[in-house]
């Protein structure tokens, strides 16, 4: 008997590499649930929860929040998704976070978006987001239908505090120092799939083909959309 397991994946890449954009396409195409650690933190900040109030300055300064705080938060959210396949975006970001995830869940694959740092800076200064849903726009790449408003709800879009150029530089440093070792963690487990490029529209067909192969291999199931 073949046991069909739920598909569980991680998407990694430097700030602005397109994790949110590609996750959106993956979610729509393959029906996986999407959990972004950054979105979860920003929802907490907007709602002024205790965690949100404590973590706001860390995030605004482009620093990572403490491992124990984010691990507890994300592993707690994942326990609510026991019945679905999921895609985790922005977590894990340090080796201790990867170890905490590893101890709790079996991961099937890690998609790594390898986008040069040069490409990133200008993308982030023209990014606009819909905070409640995490939907991402860009005034040149994927503008909203009505400037300044979310396509689905019509609610206002905002720019993220941590998208100021000097904060982006700090986030890229944090990525180099603390997150790149996580790539090695997954490479050594044979889980890392790297997609290199400067344009999401050119990277996406490769990610799509890869996930189609994986999900159709017969041992996984996602809630494929009718
Ligand atoms: P986040 O929220 O996880 P980052 O820094 O990892 O933030 P970010 O900025 O959300 O990542 P992304 O999701 O990789 O970037 O990229 P995106 O939003 O899809 O695309 C960026 C922009 O480029 C958008 O405007 C998009 O439209 C545009 N774009 C996409 N593709 C193209 C293209 O081909 N061409 C062009 N021209 N544009 C394109 O984390 C935020 C903070 O939260 C904390 C940290 O403080 C972190 O800094 N945090 C954690 N701290 C500790 N541990 C964790 N696990 C944490 N998770 C979050
Ligand atoms: Mg994102």
């Amino acid at each position: 008997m073949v046991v069909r397991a739920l598909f569980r994946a991680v998407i990694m890449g430097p700030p602005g590499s397109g994790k949110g954009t590609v996750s959106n396409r993956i979610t729509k195409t393959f029906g996986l649930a999407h959990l972004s650690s950054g979105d979860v933190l920003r929802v907490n900040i907007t709602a002024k929860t205790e965690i949100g109030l404590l973590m706001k300055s860390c995030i605004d300064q482009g620093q990572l929040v403490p491992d124990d705080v984010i691990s507890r938060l994300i592993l707690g959210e994942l326990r609510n998704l026991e019945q679905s396949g999921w895609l985790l975006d922005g977590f894990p970001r340090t080796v201790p976070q990867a170890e905490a995830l590893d101890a709790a869940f079996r991961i099937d694959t890690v998609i790594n978006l390898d986008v040069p740092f040069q490409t990133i800076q200008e993308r982030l200064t023209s990014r606009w987001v819909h905070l409640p849903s995490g939907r991402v726009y860009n005034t040149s790449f994927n503008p909203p239908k009505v400037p300044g408003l979310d396509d689905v709800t019509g609610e206002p879009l905002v720019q993220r505090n941590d998208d100021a150029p000097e904060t982006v530089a700090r986030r890229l440093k944090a990525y180099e120092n603390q997150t790149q070792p996580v790539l090695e963690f997954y490479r050594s487990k044979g889980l890392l799939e790297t997609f290199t490029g400067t344009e999401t529209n050119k990277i996406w067909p490769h990610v799509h083909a890869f996930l189609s192969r994986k999900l159709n291999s017969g041992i996984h199931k996602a809630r494929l959309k009718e």
Side-chain angles (χ1 to χ4, degrees):
M1 188 181 85
V2 177
V3 177
R4 287 166 71 84
L6 290 165
F7 188 70
R8 276 143 184 198
V10 168
I11 186 163
M12 295 186 62
S17 55
K19 298 182 295 296
T21 308
V22 171
S23 294
N24 194 287
R25 295 182 189 187
I26 292 175
T27 322
K28 279 193 184 138
T29 312
F30 298 103
L32 297 172
H34 174 224
L35 186 66
S36 152
S37 53
D39 288 350
V40 171
L41 288 168
R42 283 183 289 278
V43 165
N44 273 277
I45 290 174
T46 308
K48 296 195 164 55
T49 66
E50 199 183 336
I51 284 187
L53 291 170
L54 284 169
M55 298 303 130
K56 184 178 182 332
S57 68
C58 224
I59 294 168
D60 285 352
Q61 288 166 31
Q63 292 164 353
L64 295 188
V65 307
D67 285 335
D68 56 334
V69 173
I70 193 74
S71 296
R72 213 172 323 121
L73 193 62
I74 297 304
L75 294 178
E77 295 277 340
L78 289 178
R79 287 195 189 98
N80 296 330
L81 291 174
E82 296 236 295
Q83 304 307 317
S84 8
W86 42 248
L87 174 67
L88 198 46
D89 158 4
F91 182 95
R93 244 181 167 87
T94 64
V95 171
Q97 291 177 23
E99 286 167 347
L101 180 64
D102 201 47
F105 293 97
R106 180 188 48 76
I107 300 299
D108 295 297
T109 195
V110 177
I111 293 165
N112 173 34
L113 302 181
D114 176 25
V115 177
F117 283 11
Q118 276 160 303
T119 313
I120 283 167
Q121 196 105 23
E122 68 184 56
R123 281 187 185 184
L124 293 183
T125 46
S126 45
R127 168 163 65 182
W128 289 81
V129 292
H130 178 243
L131 281 179
S133 69
R135 272 184 289 279
V136 189
Y137 301 87
N138 184 286
T139 44
S140 53
F141 175 67
N142 59 335
K145 289 182 188 127
V146 179
L149 299 181
D150 177 46
D151 287 354
V152 177
T153 62
E155 289 167 352
L157 302 176
V158 295
Q159 289 205 280
R160 277 170 45 177
N161 288 345
D162 61 347
D163 278 347
E166 61 282 7
T167 315
V168 170
R170 257 183 259 133
R171 286 161 60 199
L172 289 171
K173 255 282 149 293
Y175 174 80
E176 249 176 359
N177 295 336
Q178 291 160 276
T179 308
Q180 270 176 344
V182 181
L183 299 180
E184 200 38 57
F185 178 91
Y186 285 124
R187 192 176 287 119
S188 70
K189 291 180 179 290
L191 291 176
L192 194 73
E193 282 297 319
T194 295
F195 299 87
T196 303
T198 55
E199 290 171 55
T200 297
N201 288 345
K202 290 196 176 150
I203 290 178
W204 167 241
H206 298 283
V207 174
H208 182 272
F210 169 72
L211 285 178
S212 302
R213 274 198 310 277
K214 273 239 148 219
L215 279 157
N216 289 330
S217 68
I219 53 165
H220 293 118
K221 65 177 180 193
R223 284 178 296 107
L224 282 171
K225 294 230 162 115
E226 275 87 34

